[in-house]
Amino acid sequence: MIMKVKSCVSWRSGFLFAGILAAQTLSALAMGESETAAPDSSETVPEDIAAQVELDIDAFQGFFARRFPKVEFAEYRNGVYALDEASREQWLEIEEFPPYEFAVDQGKVLFETPFSNGKTYADCFENGGIGVRQNYPVFDENLGEVVTLELAINHCRERNGELPLAYKKGDIASISAYMASTSEGQELNTKVGSEAAYEAYKQGKKFFYSKRGQLNFSCADCHMQVSGLKLRADVLGPSLGQVTGFPVYRSMWTELGTLHRRYAGCNKNVRAKPFAAQSVEYRNLEYFQSVMNRGLNVNGPSSRK
Amino acid sequence: MTFKHYFLLSFLGLALVGCEQSATDKVAPEVSGAEIAPPEAISPQGDESSEAAIRKTLAGAQDKLRISEERGFAWTGTADLLEQANQALENGELERASELSNALSMQASALVEQADYNDASWPEAIPK
């Protein structure tokens, strides 16, 4: 009896490996804020770094242009709905009464509510925090690390004597959503402006292409190599355009969540232990992805399945 | 087809062949994924030396897990596996503890390989 059970387990594992093998074979065949924001040092970037980043962007965006020749570049900001017509119709209907609207309103209130010292978020950000989402994430030369919008929000709070907010959902997602909404239509403008920034960019790039978890999948496996194909009932979205719509209201979450919450979910899906939201790893990943998404318009917050 | 896929194909073949054997041959090692017996696999005899061997296997696996995690690679299931193995050991269920520790050891070795592979070969994953 024991051997029978073990045999079943073995067969199940065999099928699991077969599934993974099939998917991977298929993929192979398918072949800041004003106080913290780093000064724009793009003019001092060594030529080879700038050239390498441009090459990466061309190759990344070119990949999708070849893979989906009928999809216009600007459409990628709509994620998987740029590819799948049936999903798009449902999504457009959802967007008629955006489920994130209340969160944006709440975010505006939170954004404008003074801290205990009388200052507000507007005092921390360039242009009063209005229309700045496209500049994040930014590599802060003083801190020597990538600063995302959510991290900048918490830096602002801490500098003003407030406790930081939790990073995955709740108030921080609402504030981020409000700030993103004021950047609607602005082009993502993430720059790699120094050697140190390039190191962070490279770490993010390595993360994106590294296989993780017991299922041995990289971000690129699902969101490049087999993007547009189905994983069970869902079409896999392209990586190009993934960051523009965050924070998003996911039907699965029934609430607004941040990009790093989504990263953690993705990692769990491939049975990799996720990193903490706003960990260096996820910030570098967001940085790399944002550079690759250069030229797309901010359209967050948005809704997703 | 890349080298990786040939490797995986070979691995799958071995897994399925071993699977058939495991139903009839009690001596044959368990197969596929976490159930493949690692080189240091042990056969519990129900005595103190067996328990010591299990503890040694678990300690070795934990070292590998820690190193892999420091390199940025950790799987979701290993913590549970470790807990179950320790629990079985505490309960004196040496056969179960042995199976779980072998499984954990296998996963830990695979994690190290995954980290090594990615360090050396991640650029190969960039679509051409």
Side-chain angles (χ1 to χ4, degrees):
Chain A
M1 181 62 182
I2 290 173
M3 293 313 296
K4 209 170 187 177
V5 171
K6 285 180 184 172
S7 179
C8 289
V9 171
S10 298
W11 273 110
R12 190 187 62 185
S13 302
F15 280 120
L16 176 63
F17 273 100
I20 296 166
L21 178 66
Q24 296 198 343
T25 303
L26 183 64
S27 77
L29 295 174
M31 303 251 118
E33 65 200 286
S34 58
E35 295 160 38
T36 60
D40 177 8
S41 54
S42 57
E43 289 176 11
T44 62
V45 180
E47 270 184 29
D48 55 340
I49 290 181
Q52 183 56 53
V53 171
E54 290 306 319
L55 277 175
D56 286 354
I57 295 172
D58 287 348
F60 189 90
Q61 297 187 355
F63 171 85
F64 289 103
R66 289 190 301 279
R67 184 166 177 81
F68 306 109
K70 293 180 182 172
V71 177
E72 290 181 18
F73 177 72
E75 272 298 304
Y76 282 100
R77 71 182 195 148
N78 296 322
V80 72
Y81 309 118
L83 307 181
D84 182 34
E85 190 55 39
S87 299
R88 184 187 180 90
E89 285 176 19
Q90 296 170 28
W91 172 66
L92 287 174
E93 288 191 13
I94 291 171
E95 289 278 331
E96 282 182 23
F97 298 98
Y100 47 80
E101 207 163 56
F102 294 114
V104 174
D105 291 344
Q106 188 203 7
K108 186 174 191 296
V109 171
L110 290 167
F111 185 84
E112 293 172 346
T113 302
F115 300 128
S116 51
N117 65 3
K119 291 191 174 182
T120 66
Y121 291 103
D123 295 314
C124 295
F125 290 89
E126 190 181 1
N127 198 38
I130 304 302
V132 299
R133 164 68 182 90
Q134 70 279 4
N135 299 326
Y136 287 89
V138 64
F139 187 84
D140 188 311
E141 298 292 350
N142 296 321
L143 293 176
E145 61 182 24
V146 173
V147 175
T148 62
L149 181 59
E150 288 79 13
L151 189 64
I153 289 169
N154 266 348
H155 282 175
C156 179
R157 292 180 60 83
E158 289 173 316
R159 270 199 306 277
N160 287 287
E162 304 288 331
L163 291 172
L165 299 169
Y167 279 118
K168 287 185 176 177
K169 58 184 180 180
D171 286 353
I172 205 157
S174 298
I175 296 165
S176 176
Y178 166 68
M179 292 178 74
S181 73
T182 67
S183 284
E184 168 71 33
Q186 299 292 319
E187 275 189 16
L188 275 183
N189 190 27
T190 311
K191 292 172 181 166
V192 182
S194 66
E195 295 269 5
Y198 186 59
E199 274 306 310
Y201 166 87
K202 279 198 299 186
Q203 289 303 313
K205 181 179 176 182
K206 181 182 175 186
F207 191 107
F208 184 82
Y209 290 110
S210 290
K211 294 176 183 297
R212 289 175 188 285
Q214 203 168 2
L215 300 189
N216 204 33
F217 279 112
S218 70
C219 305
D221 283 340
C222 288
H223 298 291
M224 287 187 82
Q225 300 280 24
V226 295
S227 57
L229 301 181
K230 282 197 168 180
L231 184 69
R232 295 184 178 167
D234 291 321
V235 176
L236 285 159
S239 178
L240 183 57
Q242 265 178 337
V243 301
T244 62
F246 276 85
V248 301
Y249 181 100
R250 283 192 84 199
S251 304
M252 185 181 173
W253 295 338
T254 65
E255 63 184 349
L256 209 62
T258 60
L259 180 59
H260 290 205
R261 181 180 181 186
R262 188 70 192 92
Y263 283 161
C266 251
N267 278 169
K268 281 183 195 167
N269 287 345
V270 298
R271 301 188 194 169
K273 184 179 173 185
F275 293 88
Q278 299 301 322
S279 59
V280 172
E281 288 83 0
Y282 281 170
R283 279 185 280 139
N284 289 344
L285 176 61
E286 182 177 344
Y287 188 51
F288 169 73
Q289 278 204 292
S290 299
V291 173
M292 293 299 102
N293 282 230
R294 187 188 291 171
L296 286 174
N297 291 347
V298 172
N299 62 339
S302 188
S303 62
R304 294 289 185 270
K305 284 182 196 169
Chain B
M1 294 284 275
T2 63
F3 173 80
K4 176 190 69 182
H5 297 105
Y6 283 116
F7 174 79
L8 280 171
L9 265 175
S10 308
F11 190 71
L12 177 64
L14 285 171
L16 293 178
V17 169
C19 185
E20 284 187 346
Q21 287 178 343
S22 70
T24 53
D25 185 354
K26 291 187 178 184
V27 180
E30 288 303 308
V31 292
S32 77
E35 289 135 28
I36 292 179
E40 66 271 34
I42 49 176
S43 303
Q45 304 297 317
D47 55 22
E48 286 180 7
S49 62
S50 294
E51 187 175 330
I54 293 169
R55 289 193 189 281
K56 189 179 172 188
T57 302
L58 283 176
Q62 278 181 281
D63 280 346
K64 287 179 181 175
L65 292 175
R66 180 180 48 76
I67 292 166
S68 302
E69 186 154 8
E70 284 170 3
R71 296 172 68 185
F73 294 86
W75 293 354
T76 50
T78 53
D80 280 349
L81 211 47
L82 177 63
E83 192 180 327
Q84 287 174 34
N86 280 324
Q87 191 64 53
L89 208 51
E90 275 183 29
N91 295 343
E93 304 168 37
L94 289 188
E95 185 172 356
R96 179 169 162 72
S98 171
E99 286 177 4
L100 291 167
S101 64
N102 287 343
L104 187 69
S105 181
M106 174 63 196
Q107 292 198 11
S109 297
L111 256 165
V112 172
E113 283 181 32
Q114 187 177 56
D116 286 345
Y117 173 81
N118 282 297
D119 273 348
S121 308
W122 69 267
E124 289 176 15
I126 301 173
K128 302 293 184 283

